[in-house]
Amino acid sequence: MKLTPLTDVFGMEVGDVHLTPDLDDETFAGIERAFEEHSLLLFRNQEMDEAAQVAFSRRFGPLESTLAGVAGAGGEIVRVSNLMPDGSLKAPTSHLALFVRANLFWHTDSSFKATPAKASLLFARIIPEAGGDTEFASTRAAYETLPAARRARLDRMIAMHSIAHSRDKIDPTATTAEQRAALPPVPQALVRENPVTGRRSLLIGAHVTDVVGLEISMSDALLAELEALATRPGHTWRHSWRAGDMIMWDNRAVLHRGHPYDEVASRRLLTRTTLAGAGPTVEAGTIIEARSRT
Ligand code: OGA
Ligand code: MN
């Protein structure tokens, strides 16, 4: 297994590894260690069908399942694509297409769930000639560059996260009342610690509505400042996909966003599996005075 850095602060390309069912336990343990340490791993030239992707992902722990209707048929595989299951194009204004477009904002997967995701594994199957890159940014590097006094204040803060909030930025009609009721806003610690390495990172992104206890204008300013810090040049990895690329990233330490491509003239299909997180980031019983944002 050969590791080559992608940036100065996070991300490794992993060479000489085939993610096949016969991958030995020792190599797998090395992959797990590299994941905790470097937050993002890129494996090129892989071959796996959806079942093999699920099987490989499960070696890391339990997977999240998605509800049918949000990103396709539901289950442990999410098809990130402009294609319908039968291969036809999604209508560009359809709800399904709008949900994919919300990926263009910096976000961390599933932060709108009480237990946010640990990691996501995205495998490239069909890639357009141009566009459709995915970009990643280290919220761990951002946290670690802040002065200690500032970090100590952020450590105590809680933010509210909501899927409806991020979807509303694309189209307020995209999220149905049923979906809103099924996924109400949840509190998340603003700072998360990796239990293996002890290193901390910011939990921010498009699903955040506001920081609890701050005036909305202060909250907006703080979140914008932290996002700008995390995504500044030199701290991001912009990946131009080739079919057969697999990227696994740590949702606890990395923000990501998609980039546009011609959704009418080209085809794009990636499949995602999502590792479930260990538990809520806010202690049970914490009283939160949430307020709705107008
Ligand atoms: C995702 C995601 C962005 C992209 O799959 O979670 O945000 O570029 N994808 O497809
Ligand atoms: Mn995503």
Side-chain angles (χ1 to χ4, degrees):
M1 194 166 101
K2 184 166 165 275
L3 297 179
T4 313
L6 297 175
T7 77
D8 289 343
V9 291
F10 79 114
M12 284 283 167
E13 178 169 346
V14 186
D16 300 335
V17 171
H18 297 284
L19 307 178
T20 50
D22 59 1
L23 182 80
D24 62 275
D25 288 342
E26 197 187 321
T27 308
F28 183 77
I31 292 174
E32 263 189 316
R33 268 197 309 278
F35 161 76
E36 300 288 359
E37 196 63 40
H38 304 295
S39 307
L40 180 151
L41 302 179
L42 162 65
F43 306 86
R44 291 199 185 268
N45 303 313
Q46 301 298 318
E47 275 177 44
M48 61 178 86
D49 59 17
E50 291 188 357
Q53 182 176 348
V54 169
F56 172 69
S57 305
R58 278 199 190 133
R59 288 181 75 169
F60 294 94
L63 304 186
E64 282 190 359
S65 295
T66 322
L67 298 177
V70 173
E76 290 178 318
I77 283 269
V78 176
R79 296 201 180 97
V80 181
S81 185
N82 62 330
L83 306 174
M84 301 296 284
D86 68 0
S88 65
L89 283 179
K90 285 177 188 170
T93 55
S94 74
H95 280 191
L96 287 172
L98 290 168
F99 274 105
V100 170
R101 215 155 298 142
N103 283 345
L104 303 183
F105 297 117
W106 288 110
H107 65 281
T108 121
D109 291 334
S110 299
S111 74
F112 52 84
K113 297 181 184 172
T115 294
K118 176 177 177 181
S120 298
L121 294 90
L122 195 56
F123 182 65
R125 297 181 187 277
I126 304 172
I127 292 303
E129 308 262 284
D133 293 355
T134 307
E135 196 175 8
F136 301 87
S138 174
T139 62
R140 183 177 76 185
Y143 178 83
E144 290 178 351
T145 55
L146 290 167
R150 192 82 200 285
R151 291 201 303 260
R153 281 203 301 280
L154 297 174
D155 284 347
R156 291 193 296 271
M157 291 185 180
I158 290 172
M160 300 305 291
H161 293 235
S162 154
I163 178 115
H165 178 69
S166 46
R167 296 327 189 207
D168 285 350
K169 291 184 215 172
I170 307 280
D171 180 349
T173 67
T175 308
T176 64
E178 216 173 37
Q179 287 167 339
R180 278 174 214 275
L183 289 168
V186 298
Q188 303 288 4
L190 189 61
V191 174
R192 260 178 129 177
E193 186 172 293
N194 179 312
V196 175
T197 62
R199 293 176 73 176
R200 294 184 180 181
S201 52
L202 302 166
L203 177 42
I204 52 177
H207 305 310
V208 180
T209 58
D210 62 304
V211 177
V212 174
L214 294 189
E215 287 297 322
I216 282 293
S217 60
M218 298 287 285
S219 166
D220 286 349
L222 174 61
L223 293 167
E225 181 208 345
L226 296 177
E227 184 173 297
L229 186 65
T231 61
R232 72 195 200 269
H235 282 211
T236 61
W237 169 252
R238 179 164 172 166
H239 186 65
S240 295
W241 294 97
R242 298 195 301 234
D245 288 350
M246 159 71 93
I247 290 188
M248 171 178 192
W249 69 88
D250 187 342
N251 278 304
R252 301 165 304 184
V254 164
L255 282 173
H256 65 283
R257 67 171 174 183
H259 280 270
Y261 62 101
D262 190 335
E263 290 172 43
V264 176
S266 51
R267 290 156 19 101
R268 185 175 189 264
L269 171 63
L270 298 97
T271 49
R272 196 183 92 199
T273 38
T274 315
L275 300 190
T281 62
V282 173
E283 265 177 59
T286 305
I287 293 169
I288 289 146
E289 295 214 20
R291 95 203 110 133
S292 60
R293 153 168 216 148
T294 43

